Amino acid sequence: MSILVVGSVALDTVETPFGKRERALGGSATFFSFSASFFDRVNMVAVVGSDFPPDHIALLKSRGIDTRGLRVLDGKTFHWAGAYGYDMNTATTHSTCLNVFQNFKPEIPGEYRKSECVFLANIDPDLQMEVLRQIERPRLVACDTMNFWIEGKRDALLKLLGKVDVAILNEAEARQLTRQPNLVRAGRMIREWGPERVVIKKGEHGALLFGDGHIFAAPAYPMEEIVDPTGAGDTFAGGFMGHLSRAGNIEWNTMRQAVIYGSVMASFNVEDFSLDRMKTLTEKEIRDRYREFVPLSHFE
Amino acid sequence: MSILVVGSVALDTVETPFGKRERALGGSATFFSFSASFFDRVNMVAVVGSDFPPDHIALLKSRGIDTRGLRVLDGKTFHWAGAYGYDMNTATTHSTCLNVFQNFKPEIPGEYRKSECVFLANIDPDLQMEVLRQIERPRLVACDTMNFWIEGKRDALLKLLGKVDVAILNEAEARQLTRQPNLVRAGRMIREWGPERVVIKKGEHGALLFGDGHIFAAPAYPMEEIVDPTGAGDTFAGGFMGHLSRAGNIEWNTMRQAVIYGSVMASFNVEDFSLDRMKTLTEKEIRDRYREFVPLSHFE
């Protein structure tokens, strides 16, 4: 299959206890695409400004990512600046300049409209819905979101959830959306709003996958050092959707494997800033780390 | 083998969103013993006051727990009063009356001194060390602790850690003890202080087991409703030590199973107040829930 992703491409200025990077390549569509590109063909729809370094586009293309849907507009690229402290769980945002992303109206190129797998990264739920309308007959649609939309566009978000197969969100978002501290109940509630499968990402505590009468709990890969958590969630989603697209089915067991692949990819991404670790990643490293999850989580 | 536990027997007044119980049976040695009694013989050393209801002792005996080490002193039983809010993760303590527990000097009856498995529940680390000196040749010693001792008796605690095989503590305690937010690093640091195995309990997020070059991550049993979390940690330890004692070995795979049994027992305990759920628990229910952990955590 092929995977369409619609989201942001950004320049991030990030500071963590391990250092600082200025205007490094980031954005939800970037992290997702790069991660998914290890599994299947990726078509990207996003927008950048005229200041966007051509090297970054070349990097995406080097992974076989189709960037015909990446529009370059007059103006500046979306820029986020933030910092993480020692616990690495929450970012402090210093500034968010939407720039050309402010008026992003995703138009899906004709050649992308037959994409079978669709990932609606975190953008306005009305735009996510607009994207869906442009896709001919997707076999699998997943979406992400964030606190900003849960708070400000709850109704649009609930409407969108009625149209997707998989909702992928983090622990805090799941609790905020359902107004429910218990994650098991939160997962069930979100499923009742539409998505047949729900993934709740819990950072260092792994991820939960909810299906019809089934739950799968995956640990995170044990890491002593997280250099930069930026993009971990989208990288997870890239591995997750990538594996489903490559496998060509959404059976429960394939879904469980997909959660592990998501965790594998996220664990690599946080080993360095921006895409620095992902740039050198090999398929063998992915396979090896995937196999490490067996003794980590299985018992006899 | 047989398991010796030294800890508290208490009367707890607990309030949760599901109700309130006054002076219900509680205490670390109680929850541990009751849980471990489903796996092997348990010898209990603790102290209660003359107000302690004989029915409670009868209940412990009904599970085959040897209570010859339970001393009844003039005075009142240790009483804890606290409450849990909707998130169920942290208790608010309303009062702690140590009463006869204040001067608890554990004396190990002669017939207990050959116990092969020892669980040093959360008491003053100097007393935990004193208990150890009285045991002839234990094959497996595990200890628990709490924030109060980490803060006030750090040196004694570190000395104790040098003498135990397994340290079982929760996430917050592991972080506080090691002054390290990263749990993987915290687990490794604690191992360097002595214990060959370290278990970090993470409540709803499961537990991590650390060994020599190995980590095992167990999920928590997914629960939509937690009625009363009191005693979950000691109930976990009871299932964990109970399985090791019954199995008669401390191989890595037995340890992994033990973590699952710990999670199974804790998941039952939180289904009702005090020991109310554990009182009706059957071995078949334990086996069935243990098996439920396979599809919950395995992938192919």
Side-chain angles (χ1 to χ4, degrees):
Chain A
M1 301 208 258
S2 63
I3 310 168
L4 170 69
V5 55
V6 182
S8 63
V9 170
L11 296 173
D12 290 342
T13 295
V14 181
E15 198 167 355
T16 84
F18 297 91
K20 183 174 180 176
R21 294 295 153 95
E22 309 226 4
R23 300 173 64 78
L25 178 55
S28 59
T30 307
F31 287 111
F32 177 92
S33 299
F34 215 85
S35 175
S37 74
F38 286 88
F39 299 84
D40 216 338
R41 275 191 59 80
V42 183
N43 304 321
M44 177 195 262
V45 171
V47 64
V48 292
S50 46
D51 60 344
F52 193 69
D55 280 2
H56 291 344
I57 297 181
L59 178 67
L60 297 171
K61 284 184 175 168
S62 77
R63 290 266 354 131
I65 297 164
D66 189 330
T67 57
R68 284 177 291 176
L70 178 64
R71 294 190 66 190
V72 183
L73 296 186
D74 275 348
K76 286 186 166 180
T77 303
F78 178 18
H79 180 252
W80 177 78
Y84 295 86
Y86 272 98
D87 89 343
M88 293 282 186
N89 284 319
T90 41
T92 308
T93 291
H94 295 148
S95 78
T96 304
C97 303
L98 293 173
N99 300 328
V100 296
F101 192 62
Q102 172 113 45
N103 300 308
F104 182 43
K105 292 273 174 298
E107 274 169 47
I108 312 304
E111 54 272 41
Y112 287 6
R113 297 192 177 204
K114 289 181 195 302
S115 298
E116 291 174 296
C117 250
V118 179
F119 182 65
L120 306 166
N122 160 38
I123 53 173
D124 182 331
D126 282 329
L127 294 183
Q128 289 175 311
M129 190 67 105
E130 192 46 52
V131 169
L132 264 195
R133 282 200 198 96
Q134 298 175 58
I135 312 297
E136 288 185 6
R137 205 178 303 141
R139 284 181 57 184
L140 179 70
V141 179
C143 75
D144 187 11
T145 190
M146 71 181 291
N147 51 6
F148 183 76
W149 308 119
I150 295 172
E151 218 175 291
K153 288 225 167 179
R154 189 183 169 81
D155 290 346
L157 182 57
L158 291 180
K159 208 170 139 195
L160 176 75
L161 287 174
K163 299 280 181 192
V164 306
D165 304 294
V166 185
I168 305 178
L169 61 183
N170 72 31
E171 194 177 351
E173 290 156 0
R175 289 197 166 107
Q176 187 191 1
L177 178 61
T178 60
R179 295 155 181 167
Q180 172 53 255
N182 181 299
L183 288 182
V184 180
R185 208 180 289 181
R188 182 170 55 74
M189 281 176 72
I190 299 168
R191 283 195 70 242
E192 284 166 6
W193 290 331
E196 207 189 327
R197 315 289 197 202
V198 173
V199 179
I200 299 182
K201 298 168 289 178
K202 305 190 296 174
E204 63 169 329
H205 301 301
L208 294 172
L209 169 67
F210 297 85
D212 186 18
H214 301 288
I215 297 181
F216 175 60
Y221 185 72
M223 306 195 70
E224 292 209 8
E225 206 167 274
I226 291 171
V227 172
D228 176 11
T230 310
D234 295 299
T235 306
F236 175 98
F240 177 83
M241 294 293 280
H243 178 66
L244 294 179
S245 177
R246 179 177 68 178
N249 74 73
I250 49 169
E251 302 299 316
W252 182 248
N253 196 49
T254 311
M255 283 270 167
R256 291 196 286 189
Q257 295 166 345
V259 171
I260 301 294
Y261 276 112
S263 305
V264 165
M265 299 309 280
S267 74
F268 282 116
N269 187 63
V270 301
E271 288 180 6
D272 208 339
F273 285 92
S274 184
L275 292 168
D276 288 2
R277 178 65 181 93
M278 303 299 277
K279 277 184 213 170
T280 68
L281 188 61
T282 66
E283 287 182 15
K284 182 177 182 309
E285 287 176 314
I286 296 170
R287 280 197 306 273
D288 288 349
R289 191 163 288 185
Y290 180 86
R291 285 195 202 105
E292 284 189 64
F293 273 77
V294 176
L296 175 64
S297 56
H298 290 213
F299 58 94
E300 279 142 41
Chain B
M1 302 209 259
S2 64
I3 310 168
L4 170 68
V5 55
V6 181
S8 64
V9 171
L11 296 173
D12 290 343
T13 295
V14 181
E15 197 166 357
T16 84
F18 297 92
K20 184 174 179 176
R21 291 297 152 93
E22 308 226 4
R23 299 172 64 77
L25 180 55
S28 58
T30 307
F31 286 111
F32 178 91
S33 300
F34 215 85
S35 174
S37 74
F38 285 88
F39 299 83
D40 216 336
R41 275 190 59 79
V42 183
N43 304 321
M44 175 195 263
V45 171
V47 63
V48 292
S50 46
D51 61 343
F52 193 69
D55 280 3
H56 290 344
I57 297 181
L59 177 67
L60 297 172
K61 283 184 175 168
S62 77
R63 290 267 352 131
I65 297 164
D66 189 330
T67 58
R68 282 177 292 176
L70 178 64
R71 293 189 65 190
V72 182
L73 296 185
D74 275 348
K76 285 184 167 180
T77 303
F78 178 19
H79 180 252
W80 177 78
Y84 295 85
Y86 272 99
D87 88 345
M88 292 284 185
N89 283 319
T90 41
T92 307
T93 291
H94 295 148
S95 79
T96 304
C97 303
L98 292 173
N99 300 328
V100 296
F101 191 62
Q102 173 114 44
N103 299 309
F104 182 42
K105 292 274 174 296
E107 274 169 47
I108 311 303
E111 54 270 41
Y112 287 7
R113 296 190 179 208
K114 290 182 195 299
S115 298
E116 290 173 296
C117 250
V118 179
F119 182 65
L120 305 167
N122 160 37
I123 54 173
D124 182 332
D126 283 329
L127 294 183
Q128 289 175 311
M129 190 67 104
E130 193 45 52
V131 169
L132 264 195
R133 283 199 198 98
Q134 298 176 57
I135 311 297
E136 288 183 8
R137 204 176 303 140
R139 284 180 58 185
L140 180 69
V141 179
C143 75
D144 187 11
T145 191
M146 72 182 290
N147 52 5
F148 184 75
W149 308 119
I150 296 171
E151 219 176 291
K153 288 225 167 181
R154 189 182 169 81
D155 291 345
L157 183 57
L158 291 181
K159 209 170 137 195
L160 177 76
L161 287 174
K163 301 278 182 192
V164 306
D165 305 294
V166 185
I168 305 178
L169 59 184
N170 72 32
E171 194 176 352
E173 290 156 359
R175 291 196 165 107
Q176 187 190 1
L177 178 62
T178 59
R179 295 156 181 166
Q180 172 53 254
N182 181 299
L183 289 182
V184 181
R185 209 180 288 180
R188 182 170 56 73
M189 283 177 70
I190 299 169
R191 283 195 69 241
E192 284 167 5
W193 291 330
E196 208 189 326
R197 314 290 198 203
V198 172
V199 179
I200 300 182
K201 298 168 290 177
K202 305 190 296 174
E204 65 170 325
H205 300 303
L208 294 173
L209 169 68
F210 297 85
D212 187 17
H214 300 288
I215 297 181
F216 175 61
Y221 186 73
M223 306 193 71
E224 292 210 7
E225 204 166 275
I226 291 172
V227 172
D228 175 12
T230 311
D234 295 298
T235 306
F236 175 98
F240 177 81
M241 294 292 281
H243 178 66
L244 294 179
S245 177
R246 179 177 69 179
N249 74 72
I250 50 171
E251 303 298 316
W252 182 248
N253 195 49
T254 311
M255 282 269 168
R256 292 196 286 190
Q257 295 167 344
V259 171
I260 301 294
Y261 276 112
S263 305
V264 165
M265 299 308 280
S267 74
F268 283 117
N269 187 63
V270 301
E271 288 181 5
D272 207 340
F273 285 93
S274 183
L275 293 167
D276 288 1
R277 178 64 180 92
M278 302 300 276
K279 278 185 215 171
T280 67
L281 187 61
T282 65
E283 288 182 15
K284 182 176 182 310
E285 286 175 314
I286 296 170
R287 280 196 307 274
D288 288 349
R289 190 163 289 183
Y290 180 86
R291 285 197 202 102
E292 283 188 65
F293 273 77
V294 176
L296 175 63
S297 56
H298 290 213
F299 58 94
E300 278 141 42

